[in-house]
Amino acid sequence: MTTIFINGLGLIGSSIARIIRKSDPNAIILGNDINKRNCDYLLDNNIIDKSIEFEEGSKQADVIILASPVNSIIEDIKSLSEMKLKQSVIVTDVGSSKVNILKSANQLVDNGITFIGGHPMAGSHLTGSQNGSIEMLSDHTYFLVNHNGDMQQVDMIKHLLAAGNLRFKEVSAEKHDQIVSTISHLPHFITYALTLTVNDSLKDVYANDISMGNGLLDSTRIAKSNPDVWSDILTSNSDNFLDQIDVFEKQLESLKQTITDKKPEQLRQLIVDANDARNGWENNTK
């Protein structure tokens, strides 16, 4: 019987707990969260078996899943490296950047502990264990960044997450951080900038009480994401992310130039290219 300890039972951690409960009903799922309400909700709904302190849960676990923000994961790894864990334990995480986390995980590897990084490419602006679900992660990419696990240990992670209907993709930490800086970090950053721009502009024209159209609301939904989590994410992968901001600024300048030069056909072609790209993304998810 496998014992899993999940540290961090918010949106992602609670979704992982739900998946494991369905994948392996006989597993013992222990959990910890700084917000007691997250633990209580999962206990009341039989998603976890016990709420437990970090050190006690870690020492009992066959698999440890670190599901707090990136900087907290790094601190948790340091704490784990100072504990007497099961020698066969597998430590994994769901952090949104990987180079710094795997660098920190060397502390565990030096102690003979297995670390396999992970990151589900799904989420929501909602927070808390009550908003987690299996469906939220279903059919989404789940990156696996294997530090020192063998094939059997990687398969163990996949087995525990089997009910999630995930698309596992194994990549290096460096490749992962390059990818997510483009497809996740940049869109969030642009959305924050767009929301602040619109909000400031409306104040200038005394129109801050108008009803927003669906286009703007859809485009800025992720501006409602957790500020603590996302300020942590965006600064944890800063080199790759700053490169992507530079690329975006060049693209924005190119679009701006078609307006300056009054070239509607050139602008139209850029919009057609964007249409084609966006449609292709949807086709790839089917």
Side-chain angles (χ1 to χ4, degrees):
M1 190 175 294
T2 306
T3 299
I4 297 99
F5 172 58
I6 305 175
N7 188 57
L9 296 170
L11 186 73
I12 299 299
S14 69
S15 297
I16 296 294
R18 288 170 169 88
I19 290 171
I20 294 173
R21 176 60 74 211
K22 186 173 181 181
S23 298
D24 189 350
N26 294 321
I28 299 171
I29 305 177
L30 311 176
N32 177 62
D33 195 279
I34 58 173
N35 186 342
K36 185 175 181 295
R37 287 178 295 180
N38 284 334
C39 296
D40 291 344
Y41 179 86
L42 297 179
L43 282 169
D44 291 343
N45 288 275
N46 299 314
I47 298 170
I48 65 172
D49 296 293
K50 185 179 181 181
S51 175
I52 194 168
E53 292 300 315
F54 180 80
E55 183 169 355
E56 186 181 353
S58 298
K59 288 180 177 179
Q60 292 182 29
D62 299 301
V63 177
I64 298 171
I65 301 173
L66 304 176
S68 55
V70 172
N71 287 337
S72 296
I73 289 172
I74 291 172
E75 288 300 314
D76 290 341
I77 289 171
K78 183 177 185 299
S79 297
L80 291 174
S81 71
E82 297 167 354
M83 295 179 195
K84 183 65 174 178
L85 305 174
K86 291 183 179 180
Q87 198 61 34
S88 60
V89 69
I90 302 171
V91 182
T92 186
D93 78 301
V94 297
S96 298
S97 62
K98 281 287 164 281
V99 169
N100 289 338
I101 287 176
L102 261 69
K103 188 180 298 183
S104 178
N106 285 330
Q107 301 168 84
L108 294 174
V109 173
D110 289 344
N111 293 339
I113 300 298
T114 296
F115 188 88
I116 302 170
H119 178 208
M121 286 302 299
S124 169
H125 61 278
L126 301 173
T127 60
S129 60
Q130 72 275 18
N131 290 309
S133 69
I134 294 177
E135 292 72 27
M136 183 181 68
L137 302 184
S138 179
D139 209 31
H140 284 77
T141 297
Y142 195 106
F143 287 110
L144 288 174
V145 184
N146 185 9
H147 198 354
N148 65 324
D150 59 32
M151 188 59 66
Q152 186 175 359
Q153 290 168 319
V154 171
D155 287 343
M156 174 68 161
I157 299 296
K158 291 180 178 180
H159 164 73
L160 290 174
L161 300 176
N165 191 31
L166 301 162
R167 299 182 179 185
F168 292 104
K169 185 172 181 62
E170 297 185 40
V171 295
S172 68
E174 292 76 14
K175 181 61 69 176
H176 169 275
D177 285 4
Q178 290 172 5
I179 293 170
V180 298
S181 70
T182 304
I183 67 176
S184 177
H185 302 172
L186 183 64
H188 277 80
F189 191 74
I190 292 170
T191 300
Y192 302 140
L194 174 60
T195 303
L196 292 171
T197 300
V198 171
N199 195 54
D200 289 346
S201 295
L202 289 178
K203 289 177 182 176
D204 291 342
V205 297
Y206 306 101
N208 59 336
D209 60 344
I210 65 173
S211 297
M212 301 300 180
N214 287 339
L216 180 62
L217 294 177
D218 289 345
S219 299
T220 57
R221 176 186 58 80
I222 55 176
K224 299 194 292 181
S225 55
N226 188 309
D228 295 327
V229 170
W230 276 95
S231 59
D232 193 20
I233 290 172
L234 296 179
T235 53
S236 69
N237 187 24
S238 57
D239 289 346
N240 285 305
F241 181 43
L242 288 170
D243 287 343
Q244 290 306 314
I245 293 175
D246 290 342
V247 171
F248 175 72
E249 287 176 339
K250 290 177 183 177
Q251 185 66 70
L252 188 63
E253 185 60 36
S254 177
L255 285 162
K256 179 182 176 181
Q257 195 63 45
T258 64
I259 304 296
T260 301
D261 296 341
K262 295 182 171 55
K263 293 184 175 179
E265 284 305 312
Q266 185 176 341
L267 177 59
R268 180 185 180 280
Q269 185 56 53
L270 291 171
I271 296 172
V272 167
D273 293 344
N275 284 177
D276 290 343
R278 182 63 174 81
N279 289 330
W281 299 347
E282 287 191 2
N283 292 335
N284 287 338
T285 63
K286 293 176 181 177

